[in-house]
Amino acid sequence: MSTSDENANTPIQPLWPSGSATGIGSLPGTDIVEAVKFTLGELPDLPYLPELPGRGPGADMIGRSAGLLVELPVELYAGRWRVAASPGRELRRAYDLRERDLDQLTEQAEGFTGTLKVQSAGPWTLAANIELALGEALVSDHGATRDLADSLAEGLKTHVAEVRRRVPGARVLLQLDEPSLPAVLAGRVRTASTLHTYRSVAPSTARDTITSVIDAVGVPVIVHCCAPDAPLTLLREAGAAALALDLDLVGNGAEQIDAIGELIDAGLGLFAGVARTTPPANGRQPDPAALADRVKRLWRDLGFTGELLAERVVLTPSCGLAGASPAFARAVLTACREAGKRLVDQ
């Protein structure tokens, strides 16, 4: 199959150096000093502000991202985040952790002039995982979800501006994590009782909500969806600059291949999740040559020219690395970095 056309071969302003690699977001451990040093040193072409969920509530994906919401306080109640009259203790902790993270980024990235990535959960994943005061998820109320998206957009715009202020030489990219989006679209999000599910959200509504956030932040946005039924066309139409996907979950079917080809045709980048996040049973370390060859095979199947490969594709782990050992996390990101260079040298 060949989907390449003049759009795919039209030069675009590069958002990252050719042959780049990066992480999805999370790392093992609790030491933000070492984590920031690690990402800046191990991934010099596309470092990112790491997430350390091992630090506990407020450092998890939902709590950390809820800390970016403007005038929409939440609290942790019975293990679930819910809307509150005032910020709960865990949310105040999320504020404090973010400030520490940014302080370390400011110190460690002094003089940095490349591309830098930051991450947040997207509006639909937050809506599916934050509850209203009465116990049902925000996704059950479309008006509340719109308010959440507006609040998130305002908070992310402020956050991105703060990162730019602290690292003035950096070109900032924002990654929106939307692992719950396919469940939202399919009506698979469980109610508080777990006996039922909320009604599905129309694709046009989901798309327009994500677009509203992308348009607000003022920097290129990568949308990450680690689900087998990631809505590639919807996310492309929403205005993403790139999509981050676990290639094992995307599959090799003609429909999925066509959708990836369409996003490349449209000028988007592909953050290709090629490296597993836990060791195989045989304990084998990730092989940079095998990772690069896998992406090359996909590229050949798509029918694009080899020159575009290193420009459009960024190599990543299949998802976050919080569940890996520190040694394996380092091995994965090192392998991704070396594999990315093999795409340039093909």
Side-chain angles (χ1 to χ4, degrees), residues 45-105:
D45 288 338
L46 188 46
Y48 62 100
L49 180 60
E51 304 156 7
L52 301 178
R55 294 183 290 184
D60 60 293
M61 180 177 69
I62 301 303
R64 175 180 49 78
S65 302
L68 295 166
L69 298 174
V70 174
E71 297 182 358
L72 188 59
V74 300
E75 63 183 358
L76 194 62
Y77 178 78
R80 298 279 294 176
W81 290 98
R82 71 176 185 182
V83 175
S86 60
R89 178 182 62 185
E90 291 82 6
L91 185 61
R92 293 194 297 272
R93 186 167 184 269
Y95 297 154
D96 181 59
L97 289 172
R98 185 174 77 240
E99 190 66 21
R100 293 185 205 175
D101 295 353
L102 289 173
D103 286 346
Q104 280 306 311
L105 181 67

Side-chain angles (χ1 to χ4, degrees), residues 245-248 272-276 291-292 294-295 315-318 336 339:
L245 308 169
D246 178 350
L247 293 190
D248 280 339
V274 293
R276 60 182 296 157
L291 300 183
R294 183 180 181 190
V295 176
L315 296 190
T316 77
S318 60
C336 287

Side-chain angles (χ1 to χ4, degrees), residues 68-72 146-156:
L68 295 166
L69 298 174
V70 174
E71 297 182 358
L72 188 59
R146 284 194 297 272
D147 291 343
L148 169 73
D150 291 344
S151 174
L152 179 64
E154 186 175 350
L156 286 173

Side-chain angles (χ1 to χ4, degrees), residues 97-213:
L97 289 172
R98 185 174 77 240
E99 190 66 21
R100 293 185 205 175
D101 295 353
L102 289 173
D103 286 346
Q104 280 306 311
L105 181 67
T106 304
E107 180 177 340
Q108 304 296 338
E110 183 177 4
F112 179 77
T113 58
T115 302
L116 175 68
K117 182 168 71 72
V118 296
Q119 304 83 219
S120 169
W124 291 107
T125 293
L126 288 178
N129 289 279
I130 297 176
E131 296 177 348
L132 296 161
L134 296 179
E136 297 297 343
L138 276 159
V139 74
S140 67
D141 183 327
H142 286 188
T145 300
R146 284 194 297 272
D147 291 343
L148 169 73
D150 291 344
S151 174
L152 179 64
E154 186 175 350
L156 286 173
K157 181 178 180 180
T158 300
H159 180 54
V160 166
E162 178 67 5
V163 173
R164 283 171 150 175
R165 183 185 69 80
R166 288 171 175 262
V167 192
R171 179 172 193 175
V172 178
L173 304 180
L174 170 67
Q175 176 182 303
L176 289 179
D177 294 312
E178 283 286 18
S180 298
L181 178 59
V184 167
L185 292 168
R188 297 198 305 262
V189 179
R190 290 283 175 182
T191 60
S193 69
T194 72
L195 298 176
H196 305 286
T197 58
Y198 301 116
R199 68 184 186 273
S200 61
V201 172
S204 59
T205 300
R207 180 198 63 216
D208 292 348
T209 300
I210 295 172
T211 297
S212 70
V213 175

